[in-house]
Amino acid sequence: MSTETGQLTTPATGRGAREVSRLESFIDAMIDLGQTGQIFGEHGIGKTATFFSHIGRAHPGTALVYVPAANLTPDDLLINAPVRDPHSGELVLRQLVMSQLKPGTPFVLLIDDSLQAGDTIQSQLMQIACNWTLGEHDLRALGCVGVFLTDNESLSETSARRGDLALLDRMVTMRITANDTSWRRHLAAKYRPWDLNPVFAVWASLSPALRELLSPRTLDHILANAKEGFPLRWGLPLIDGERLRLAEPGPDGRPGQNRTAEILDRLAGALGVPNPATIPDPVRQVVRAALRNRWTVLLQGPPGCGKTELVRETVRAGLGREPLYFSLPVTNVEDLCAPIPSPDGTLDNLLAANFTGPDPKAIVWDEYNRPKDKAAFAKLMEITQEWSLAGRHIENLRAQIAVQNPPYHLGRKLLVSRNNIAQATRFTASLTVEPDDIPANEWLLARYGADAETVLEWWKHDIDDDGRAWITKRTLERLIKLHRKGLPLEMATVYLGDGEYAPVPLTALIDRFKGRPVTGLRELARDADSWEARLRRAADHTDEGGDDSDVVHQILANAELSQLKKHRAVVARMVALLPAKLRATYLVGASAQQQRFWTDIFTGMARR
């Protein structure tokens, strides 16, 4: 099962008659009776996906018109516009209805997230639900054979409650749970040849509160990450910057024991797959997986660590073209689409040129949790949920990558918006990115050479963890640029106001630039014979090594791959004299390229 409409259309096969879910039976009954159906249920249990799979299968020749109410603006459904009267030739004012409501075939209208629409939209939805009309248009005359409204009643996810008896009296309402949809059948079909029965047994063994947190949609994302060999926790959403915790509420309503690790390990065991704590080069790996599998991915990390540039570079390499890039603080609705009257008397939407055409596309949503306004973010939510815009499918859209900052960093609150669990669970993989996950050091070395080596050696050896958190990769580049211009280095650090800069001492960096003696891989290579003699003396004294062994080990562990390759011969000489326990650490958590380098070094040692 998936929220992307194109991924939930294949029915499962099996022996005997196909089991029809309670929701599917309700859909059929409402269509037969000509009644408006209202469906309430928790997020992520397959309400919308059931419509997409069931209508096409059980009602051939009938289209499903999907309208995400949370994404609507007042002029999307109906607008007054001047049109040329075909009889008189004069311009007259007509009410134009959205083009999706004239598909030219019998259709079922599904209004999703119906409680999340604004007041003006709620009035329009009331007319549709009560009379199956919209303005001057009779939906039955347009081919409508069914009207349904769906949502989650939780006030944390909706903006209204439907309390008007005149409206409620016109609808048949059903509340459902995950057991009333066919999500198990669809997941089983999607993840063949895995036998998911053990997974379903783990899910069924959880309490109702935990099953609500671990919704079928979230379970789908966990399975998708497991299939790629990724950490299973990436399938859990990030809500207001924090990873969802699988914890039952205590008597006071606050979360109790965190059972996330235990439950994810049980799911991994049921699948017979590992649940790694981390993987090398996570950002590149997940972006490549997104391009392969048509995923929507969320990357959250501190400002200035190079997230966006690495994403764009990886998409460019995998797609063969630049991604479509949108920075949310400056993105307007009109940058995405705009409604216009069409010659057939309907209200059509023009898409931005970048969204059209058959060429492969990937979208990068930068500063995702800093939208310019609610209207733009509403349209964005349709794309991330349904891979469509204003009801129009975006052709050959291969991946969507959202990049954002956490709500807090270095003890300071960032000006980002909040999300809820319904929004957060739209992402197949949600990563919290650390600066070490972004290989920006190699880029700095390639671009700035010796100056970059100096700055990186200072960053790795001369400041503590708190200092490194303040000095982002973006700051490192500014330090290099200001040094080259002879400007005070303090100005490159983050300005905190009232004459205060980031609390990081720069004296050691200034000394390095002035030529103070230091020891890095460059210096180690220049004095290789002396260091080799020191390591031999340490090795003769003890198998555990000594202070000199620790210094060389730290130099090798902190060096970038390009530096190691540049001084390969010296590295091979030194590493052969280090204790075995230190050598083994070079393969732990290393990227595939680094592992190949060290494997070649160790193989050469064995041959000697």
Side-chain angles (χ1 to χ4, degrees), residues 249-256:
D252 57 358
R254 291 187 295 182

Side-chain angles (χ1 to χ4, degrees), residues 121-177:
I121 301 298
Q122 289 294 342
S123 299
Q124 294 173 324
L125 297 184
M126 178 175 178
Q127 184 187 8
I128 294 174
C130 290
N131 305 318
W132 290 28
T133 61
L134 180 59
E136 65 184 35
H137 298 276
D138 184 341
L139 297 184
R140 288 183 174 87
L142 298 179
C144 185
V145 298
V147 174
F148 295 89
L149 296 85
T150 63
D151 212 328
N152 183 348
E153 284 188 286
S154 170
L155 287 176
S156 66
E157 299 175 19
T158 60
S159 61
R161 274 201 181 276
R162 196 164 286 128
D164 190 329
L165 293 179
L167 174 59
L168 295 173
D169 190 43
R170 305 295 183 96
M171 297 185 290
V172 179
T173 302
M174 179 174 72
R175 288 181 56 86
I176 64 172
T177 68

Side-chain angles (χ1 to χ4, degrees), residues 347-483:
L347 188 62
D348 205 352
N349 271 279
L350 281 183
L351 301 189
N354 290 340
F355 292 120
T356 61
D359 294 329
K361 304 171 188 68
I363 302 175
V364 175
W365 303 111
D366 200 12
E367 306 289 359
Y368 176 74
N369 55 355
R370 300 176 188 261
K372 183 176 182 180
D373 54 47
K374 291 183 178 180
F377 193 67
K379 291 298 182 187
L380 169 66
M381 287 301 296
E382 179 188 353
I383 305 177
T384 56
Q385 291 174 29
E386 305 302 332
W387 297 67
S388 66
L389 181 56
R392 293 179 55 181
H393 174 71
I394 301 175
E395 187 176 1
N396 208 1
L397 179 55
R398 299 265 296 275
Q400 299 183 66
I401 316 296
V403 183
Q404 69 179 32
N405 296 138
Y408 292 89
H409 182 56
L410 297 173
R412 293 172 178 262
K413 181 172 176 55
L414 305 185
L415 299 179
V416 300
S417 60
R418 299 170 64 94
N419 65 348
N420 60 42
I421 193 168
Q423 295 165 329
T425 54
R426 305 297 178 173
F427 296 96
T428 307
S430 301
L431 279 69
T432 52
V433 179
E434 302 297 333
D436 288 345
D437 296 328
I438 308 293
N441 295 358
E442 290 287 8
W443 181 86
L444 288 171
L445 289 168
R447 188 178 183 95
Y448 297 106
D451 287 338
E453 285 198 61
T454 299
V455 170
L456 287 170
E457 292 289 346
W458 165 79
W459 185 79
K460 293 173 181 177
H461 298 290
D462 296 346
I463 56 179
D464 58 18
D465 290 342
D466 290 339
R468 280 189 286 273
W470 280 105
I471 303 297
T472 67
K473 304 304 168 66
R474 187 184 293 150
T475 305
L476 290 176
E477 185 179 19
R478 285 200 303 272
L479 287 167
I480 295 169
K481 288 182 175 180
L482 265 61
H483 163 69

